[in-house]
Structures are given as structure tokens and as C-alpha cells.
Amino acid sequence: MIVAPRPPQLQPRPPRPPQLLQAAPQQPGSGARRILPAGPPPREGISINGAAGPVNGALRSKIVVPPKNVHVKGACDTCRTRKIKCSGGRPKCVACDRNGATCNYVAGPSETHSQALKRKVDQLEEEKSVYHELTELIRKMPERESTEVVRRLRAGDDVATIVRQVKTGCLLLQLALSPETRFRYTFPYVIDMPVTLRRPDNPYIGSSLFEASYSNSPSPPPEKLPDQHQCVYMKPYHVAEVVDSRLSKIRASRWTFITDDDELFRNLLRAYILHEHTTYPYIHLDSFLDGMVSGDERFCTSLMVNTIMASACHCYQAIPDRHKFWKPSSLAYQFLAEARRLWELEIKEEPKLTTAMAGVLLNIEYNHNGMDSLGYNFLAQAVTMSEHLGLFDPELQKSIESKRLRTAWEFFSWSIFSWSTVQAYYFFRYPVIKNPPLTPLPDPATNRSFYGEVWLLYPVSPAPIPAEHGHTTKSLTELHVILHAMSCRAFCDGSSTRKLSWEEAMEFKQMLDNWFETLPPVLSPKSVVFPWHIKLHTAYDAAIYTLFNSLVARDTLPSISSLASLPPNVPITTAGEIAAQAIMRLETLVRLYYLRHSFSSCDSFLGYYLSVLTRATLETMSPRSDKLPLDPQQIRTLRSTVLLCLKGVNEQSRNNYISEVVYRVLKSGLSPDDLEALEANVNLFEWSEDDMFVAKQCRSQWPMPGVKVYDNPRQAGMDISLQQLVSRTEGMTLEEETGRRRREGKGVKVGRVVEIEDSD
């Protein structure tokens, strides 16, 4: 063991006060340590051995007093990445300066990193809100104004500045802020209402909706509007909100595994009630909502909820690509898949009323997706369940003790009859339910609870407004009773069809006219305003047109212009004149619908009436040797009608897939001049590649409008169903088909009209 030599004895010095000494390094070759001057006194509480109190004695080791900690609120990005201490110096911290690294700070000098992140999130949310607001404004603005906004965006203008300026002068926003402000949409191509529609015998010219939507005065004449609920004539219905206290009590997790977001769930339900239930009132809404709140599965089940949510996804405009039902990541796909799973489980059990209701709802959803040939099976099974339950037995209904349950049974017996009639009449089938229910429908004026009510709250309105759901449902069902009789007469037993005679057509017209003349005041031509009110009238006019168009000879197709030469007081007696008058009223209703509400909100059945009007207008525009050529103004007016209809079908294609397919077929029937006008005057929503791929898988047997009532497309082998029309262009994109048509200088006929002789 090596022992250090003892240092030589030193002469004693006078004693000094005890101080903290600092040891100096030992000199080479010296046996003693050099004593340096004493350092600063230690801070209070610091000792050599770590104990509190003063330090006494000589130092045995080197003591380093830690520097005072400097608090840094936010480190730079480089130090945070390397996980080292940052001095917080600006513009460069010590570590970045020493390492030559770039020094960037997310946080400001006086904020922490978490505060900086929160500030950044708030900025992104504000930016997102601005862009979302701009998108909504562009979507609802007229074409010319929206085009100007896009031009300014491409020129580099600030988005927030554009939105602020648009909000300052945009009439659509003003209508939500001031009840006196009016807004109406603008027709494409020709902005005026056609003169051919302004006839004294047109019941919709001079109506409250016409005066409020098309009058050139600053505000509609108050004396010409109903005293109550004037705001519904002043604003689009999609600015209204469904008001129901039960919605806030509903929990998503109780009814579906797809989402537990209660706010999203309630918004979807509101969208369904506003856009879908008003068109297809086939469930008793009050019983359904009460069941959702209380958990009563006599009126509401997970199968029904998931099916309704799948349909609601088409109506909720906050969902992008809501028409793409085939995408597994979409909410609509997931809700529908869950509904299919639950359906497979329930059909193996004892039949229930809710299962039959879900079958009708599934059939409707498959129709929206262009898969009606697959979805019809749900309706057939629902009818079988209903018959097994005794749904159409009035004595059995009376024996039900619960009034709520008895009301739900009676209501659904009419609902499934009504929807099965729609499937028969519009698909050329014999009705699956042969007779209407025996239990009569009550009067909504005296028994509103039987139908329920939908309450709408408009911006700045003092109180909610009823949608008159009961009157609409009863009148629609009564119309379907007439269409049911027409289907039974025209489609015989389902294996053949027959041509209706003039006497039979006049018999059905008399029935339709009686129905029209006895409509309640709220649904009269003078008062009609809501989209579901307008479609009730379009259904009446489309039925008359289809009925008498079948009796018109090929060389004397009806046209609105043919009515112009007839004085208003002259009776209309021929089939062509009756059909032309029906088309005139139908076009007026379509134009009023657009002026007040636009075509952007989900309305799946609107596409049918737009297709009827498109086909009739194209027939009028087609050249024939037996008629005088149209003058340029007439062609321009007719073309504006075609463009308006295609605009509507195209906008509906954002919401449901069946409209996409219809739009493609209708567009393929345009001439090169019509196509050029369409592209120049209408902002179109075009298909993506996956849309084109799915189009080839369309399974819709819906005959395109223009086919005559007594034509059986399955029997005659006509290529007039959507599936057959789309498959004709399989392997060729729409642009390629359009280019080929342009080179040939012609359009495509939208389905053939084939004459079939009477079976007898």
C-alpha cells in the first residue's frame, strides 16, 4: 500500500476566524497543499456534509454551489426534440447556438408550450369555420355570384375578407337575420318565368308562393299572403330546424353500436324528420320518438333506428360524399350493415310490428341506392309479416287495449299499403296488397294525434310552426288509393298489361280531379308552400300526364306551346291538350319549388318529377316533319327548362345515388347545343372514378319516365330501366359517350316508347 509522505511541519500562524476555504490543486513535486484565499461565505443552510447549519473546519473536497434555476416558459423546437434543457434565449438559445442548429419557437415569449398549442388549435378552428362558411355560401348563392367568389379566390384574395364581404351583402344571410328580407334563387340560362306558364287557367300563377317568390316588389303584398305563418313563404325550408323536446333526451348508445356521439345522432334524426319523413311518412313519429326515450320496443327497436340513421345520412349535409353508400368507412354503410345484421336475426323470430316497419324502411333505403331489385324483397317480407299479424283485420285492431299501440297498428296498415302502391304504380307491377285497409283514416282537423305533427322553427320566428303533417299524410294516402286502382286496372294480374280506354282514363281523371278539388285549404294551390306540399300537387299532375300521354298518338305528342293558341276559357278535351296542361302545371310547380327552396337539400322523390318534365320537354324540342319548326325564343325557353331539371337531378346526386344514375342517363339524351348550354350555365357535380365503377353495378328496375302506362318493360324486353340504360354504356365513360354524340351531331333517346296492342 503506498502511503503519501507526511508534509513538513510548518511554523504556526496566528489564528483566523473560521471561514469556508477552497482547496487549490497540489503543486507538482510538493508534499503540501497550497492554501488559497478564502472564497465567498456559503449560503445559509449549506454545509460540507449536507447538513444544515454553518460550516466549520477545513475543506476536504471541492464544493460547487449550484446556480440559481431560471424558469423557461417554452423551450425551442430543437431542444424539445432532443429532450435537453433550453435556456429560452431569443433569437437563439444557448444549446442551438453552441450546436449551430436552427432555433424556432412555437410559443411566444410570454406563453407556455401548451398555451401555444391551444392558440394554434383555435386559429385552425377559426380558419376551418371560415372555409366551411364560404363553402356553404357558395353552395347556396346564384351561379353568377358564386362564380365571382371563385374568381376572387383564384386571384389570391383573403378568404376571411371574401366571407365578410359576402355576408355583408348576401341576401341569404340577411333572410336569417331579418324577417322582412326576401330571398329567391335564380333560374339558369333564362331567369324569367316562361310566358307560356302565365295563363289564367294555371292555378299556381298568382298563388301566395308565386307572389312571395317571384314578385318584383321589395316585399310580397301582405294582403295576398295568409295572416299566419308568413315567414314560410319568405324563406327556404332548409333554414328551419325541427323542434321536439324529446330529441334532447335520446341517447345514441342505447340504440346503435355505430356511434356514441349524441349530438351527431340527434342532428341525423332532425335531418331525417325534416327531409325524409315528410316525404315518406310511413312510421308513427310520435310513438317512435316516445319509444326511443322510454326504451319501449313495441314502437322502436335497434333495427328501425339503424335503418333510419342510414337514410338520415343522405339528408345531413355535414357528411361529405353522403351518396357513396358503398364505402365501408361511411356512416351510411355502417348503419345499413348493422341494420342488415339485425334484420337477419329478427326475421327468424316471431313476426313483430317493428320488424315489418323496418322492412318498409329498408326497401326505401335500397331504392335510394339504386338497388330496388334487391330491396323489394324487404317489402314482400314486410307484407307477409303484416298479414300474419292480422294488421289489416279491423276487428283485431279494435281488440287492442292500448290506445297508443292500436294507433300505431292502424297507422302502419295504411303506411304499408301506401308504399306498396308506390312500388306497384311507378315500377309497373301489380300491387302486392290487393285492397286498401278497411279502417278509415281520421280527419286531421279533429284527430291530429293520429298523425302526429312536425314543428319547425324558422330564424327570428317567435314560435315554432306546424308542417301540417296530418293533412299531407291523409291526402297523400288518398291519392295512392287512386293510383292503386289504376295499377290494378292497367297491370291486370301481374303477368300482362292492357291499354286503358278513353272512358277508363276519363274515369280516373274524374277521381283525380275530385281529390284535387277537395284538398284542405292548407294544401290548396293558393296556400301550397312546403316541398312536401308541392310534391303532392306534382304527383297529381304527373299522374294525369302519364295517364293521357298513353292515349296520344306518336305523331301528336303534347306540348305546352300547343296550349298557347287556345283561349283560356275554351274547354280542353283532347288527350294531347290534357297532357300538355298537366305538364304546364308540373313545370310551374318545379320552378316555384326551385325559386323558394332550391334543389340542394335531400329530396329523393323529386328526381322522378324532374325526369318526367325533362323527357316531356325534350320530346317537344325534337324535330318532327308534321309540325312547324320552333322559333329561337321557344327553343331557348324549352332549353332553360331542361337545364333547370338537370341542375336539380345533379344537385340531388350529392345526396342519393339513384339521382346520380338518373342524371347520367338524362344527360346522355341531350343534343350538342344543349350540352354546351348546360356546361356554360350550370355548375355541375361530376362523377368520380369509383362512382362510374359502381354505376355498372346498378340494380334498379325503375322505368325511366316517358314509358306509357300499359307498357310492360319486362314483357316487351325494352331497355328503359335504369339498370339496362346504364349497362348500355358499360365500358364507356360519360365524357366519351358525350364526345361521340357530339361528333355524330345527335342525342340519345331516353328510353323507347313502344306501342303494345291490347291483350284482348
Side-chain angles (χ1 to χ4, degrees):
M1 177 179 179
I2 301 175
V3 180
R6 295 174 60 87
Q9 295 294 325
L10 302 177
Q11 294 296 328
R13 293 184 177 182
R16 300 175 62 184
Q19 292 177 336
L20 180 64
L21 304 180
Q22 184 173 7
Q26 185 176 352
Q27 298 294 330
S30 174
R33 294 180 298 171
R34 180 184 176 186
I35 303 302
L36 299 178
R43 291 184 296 168
E44 183 178 355
I46 301 297
S47 66
I48 296 176
N49 58 5
V55 179
N56 298 315
L59 288 175
R60 298 176 183 177
S61 62
K62 181 181 178 180
I63 303 299
V64 179
V65 179
K68 184 178 181 180
N69 290 331
V70 179
H71 180 68
V72 179
K73 282 196 170 184
C76 69
D77 294 345
T78 304
C79 291
R80 291 184 63 85
T81 303
R82 295 181 177 181
K83 297 184 178 179
I84 61 177
K85 188 167 182 61
C86 182
S87 66
R90 297 174 185 256
K92 263 195 173 185
C93 68
V94 173
C96 292
D97 187 48
R98 182 174 61 246
N99 298 326
T102 303
C103 189
N104 295 321
Y105 287 89
V106 173
S110 61
E111 63 180 356
T112 63
H113 186 73
S114 60
Q115 290 173 340
L117 291 180
K118 185 178 183 302
R119 172 176 54 80
K120 189 68 174 177
V121 169
D122 292 341
Q123 290 175 353
L124 292 175
E125 287 291 339
E126 184 178 356
E127 184 178 355
K128 175 186 174 183
S129 176
V130 171
Y131 278 99
H132 177 72
E133 192 170 7
L134 178 64
T135 303
E136 288 298 309
L137 289 172
I138 290 177
R139 185 177 61 81
K140 297 176 181 178
M141 289 167 61
E143 279 76 7
R144 283 181 290 183
E145 295 181 21
S146 61
T147 302
E148 176 62 22
V149 171
V150 173
R151 186 194 65 79
R152 292 183 57 186
L153 284 173
R154 298 184 66 177
D157 288 8
D158 179 63
V159 175
T161 302
I162 295 176
V163 170
R164 184 171 59 253
Q165 293 176 354
V166 171
K167 288 171 63 176
T168 302
C170 181
L171 292 175
L172 182 61
L173 187 67
Q174 291 175 13
L175 72 87
L177 298 177
S178 173
E180 290 80 22
T181 303
R182 234 168 19 102
F183 178 83
R184 71 176 178 88
Y185 293 85
T186 305
F187 294 135
Y189 196 61
V190 177
I191 64 174
D192 296 325
M193 182 74 78
V195 178
T196 53
L197 303 181
R198 295 174 177 266
R199 288 176 54 87
D201 57 346
N202 189 342
Y204 307 105
I205 299 298
S207 64
S208 299
L209 180 59
F210 177 85
E211 293 293 337
S213 302
Y214 204 78
S215 175
N216 292 324
S217 58
S219 61
E223 67 277 2
K224 293 189 176 183
L225 290 177
D227 295 334
Q228 196 177 22
H229 312 322
Q230 293 190 17
C231 64
V232 300
Y233 293 91
M234 310 291 291
K235 305 172 186 178
Y237 85 103
H238 52 72
V239 304
E241 181 182 354
V242 174
V243 178
D244 196 308
S245 60
R246 292 169 292 189
L247 295 176
S248 61
K249 304 175 184 178
I250 296 173
R251 299 290 180 265
S253 58
R254 187 172 189 173
W255 299 104
T256 181
F257 294 117
I258 304 304
T259 181
D260 58 359
D261 187 338
D262 291 337
E263 191 61 29
L264 172 63
F265 188 80
R266 293 163 187 164
N267 286 336
L268 287 171
L269 193 54
R270 289 188 184 95
Y272 176 84
I273 295 172
L274 181 61
H275 300 287
E276 195 75 3
H277 179 69
T278 50
T279 299
Y280 305 105
Y282 297 139
I283 62 171
H284 195 270
L285 187 61
D286 283 345
S287 298
F288 175 74
L289 293 179
D290 289 339
M292 290 191 78
V293 174
S294 64
D296 192 343
E297 295 196 352
R298 294 178 303 168
F299 308 104
C300 175
T301 61
S302 294
L303 171 58
M304 291 180 63
V305 170
N306 281 277
T307 306
I308 286 175
M309 287 297 104
S311 295
C313 290
H314 300 296
C315 310
Y316 190 43
Q317 298 198 1
I319 298 178
D321 294 334
R322 52 193 173 273
H323 68 290
K324 295 184 177 181
F325 68 94
W326 59 87
K327 296 181 67 174
S329 60
S330 67
L331 274 177
Y333 181 96
Q334 296 174 36
F335 279 122
L336 186 57
E338 177 67 4
R340 282 294 308 268
R341 183 185 70 84
L342 296 172
W343 171 266
E344 295 296 334
L345 295 176
E346 289 199 14
I347 60 173
K348 297 178 181 178
E349 302 174 355
E350 286 295 318
K352 295 185 297 184
L353 180 66
T354 53
T355 308
M357 291 179 182
V360 172
L361 297 174
L362 282 168
N363 184 207
I364 295 174
E365 175 62 14
Y366 270 71
N367 283 11
H368 293 170
N369 296 337
M371 299 289 176
D372 52 72
S373 61
L374 305 178
Y376 186 75
N377 184 51
F378 294 108
L379 175 62
Q381 294 185 67
V383 172
T384 302
M385 292 180 194
S386 301
E387 293 174 345
H388 181 81
L389 290 169
L391 186 69
F392 305 105
D393 186 354
E395 297 300 325
L396 182 60
Q397 292 178 359
K398 293 179 182 179
S399 66
I400 300 176
E401 296 182 359
S402 171
K403 181 180 179 181
R404 290 179 57 203
L405 186 59
R406 183 169 62 254
T407 298
W409 274 59
E410 294 176 357
F411 186 88
F412 183 67
S413 66
W414 280 103
S415 297
I416 193 171
F417 166 80
S418 183
W419 177 247
S420 65
T421 298
V422 171
Q423 293 294 287
Y425 177 79
Y426 293 102
F427 285 85
F428 295 178
R429 297 189 181 106
Y430 189 76
V432 65
I433 299 178
K434 296 184 179 180
N435 298 298
L438 297 177
T439 304
L441 286 169
D443 185 0
T446 58
N447 191 355
R448 174 175 284 190
S449 62
F450 181 85
Y451 303 95
E453 187 57 275
V454 176
W455 293 89
L456 306 176
L457 182 62
Y458 278 78
V460 198
S461 296
I465 298 167
E468 303 296 344
H469 181 67
H471 288 293
T472 305
T473 302
K474 184 175 186 295
S475 299
L476 179 63
T477 305
E478 291 172 344
L479 176 63
H480 287 165
V481 171
I482 302 175
L483 299 184
H484 180 274
M486 293 172 59
S487 300
C488 291
R489 190 83 61 88
F491 307 135
C492 301
D493 58 355
S495 60
S496 60
T497 57
R498 57 182 295 270
K499 183 176 181 179
L500 299 179
S501 64
W502 171 262
E503 290 74 17
E504 290 173 312
M506 290 301 296
E507 175 189 350
F508 285 120
K509 183 179 184 300
Q510 184 62 44
M511 295 169 62
L512 291 168
D513 289 342
N514 290 339
W515 170 88
F516 181 79
E517 293 169 0
T518 57
L519 285 173
V522 71
L523 298 178
S524 67
K526 175 71 175 179
S527 304
V528 64
V529 58
F530 290 118
W532 44 94
H533 296 173
I534 297 174
K535 286 184 296 183
L536 195 64
H537 286 247
T538 56
Y540 160 76
D541 292 319
I544 291 181
Y545 169 77
T546 305
L547 183 64
F548 285 90
N549 186 44
S550 300
L551 301 175
V552 177
R554 179 76 61 83
D555 56 350
T556 58
L557 289 174
S559 65
I560 299 177
S561 57
S562 63
L563 294 178
S565 58
L566 294 177
N569 298 326
V570 175
I572 296 177
T573 56
T574 67
E577 292 170 352
I578 294 174
Q581 186 184 52
I583 283 294
M584 175 195 67
R585 294 195 299 248
L586 177 61
E587 180 179 348
T588 307
L589 288 166
V590 166
R591 287 181 175 272
L592 290 177
Y593 186 115
Y594 176 75
L595 282 176
R596 171 51 54 226
H597 306 293
S598 84
F599 294 143
S600 58
S601 299
C602 182
D603 192 340
S604 56
F605 217 82
L606 177 65
Y608 170 77
Y609 304 117
L610 296 177
S611 302
V612 170
L613 183 56
T614 301
R615 198 273 181 177
T617 307
L618 289 176
E619 286 289 353
T620 303
M621 296 175 65
S622 62
R624 295 202 309 266
S625 58
D626 64 308
K627 68 175 185 179
L628 296 175
L630 300 173
D631 60 57
Q633 182 59 38
Q634 289 176 318
I635 294 177
R636 183 175 174 81
T637 300
L638 293 171
R639 182 172 291 145
S640 70
T641 303
V642 172
L643 300 191
L644 178 64
C645 293
L646 287 175
K647 173 182 173 64
V649 179
N650 180 263
E651 291 189 4
Q652 285 301 309
S653 67
R654 297 173 182 265
N655 305 316
N656 52 77
Y657 180 69
I658 189 66
S659 296
E660 242 184 75
V661 182
V662 172
Y663 169 72
R664 178 176 183 177
V665 173
L666 290 176
K667 185 179 177 182
S668 66
L670 301 183
S671 67
D673 292 338
D674 296 335
L675 284 171
E676 183 177 354
L678 179 67
E679 295 168 359
N681 294 275
V682 179
N683 294 328
L684 297 173
F685 170 70
E686 295 295 347
W687 282 20
S688 59
E689 292 183 2
D690 55 341
D691 293 336
M692 298 242 183
F693 173 76
V694 177
K696 301 176 183 179
Q697 305 176 22
C698 174
R699 294 297 180 268
S700 178
Q701 297 300 320
W702 177 56
M704 285 295 293
V707 181
K708 299 188 176 182
V709 171
Y710 55 86
D711 289 342
N712 188 331
R714 288 169 290 278
Q715 179 183 11
M718 297 183 294
D719 55 342
I720 48 79
S721 71
L722 284 183
Q723 179 178 342
Q724 292 163 332
L725 289 171
V726 171
S727 63
R728 277 195 326 193
T729 59
E730 185 173 355
M732 177 182 294
T733 67
L734 184 57
E735 287 72 17
E736 292 171 346
E737 173 70 7
T738 301
R740 182 179 67 83
R741 292 272 154 196
R742 283 181 178 277
R743 291 191 298 271
E744 296 177 359
K746 61 181 181 180
V748 180
K749 289 290 290 181
V750 186
R752 287 182 250 159
V753 179
V754 180
E755 297 287 347
I756 302 177
E757 296 298 332
D758 294 351
S759 57
D760 51 356

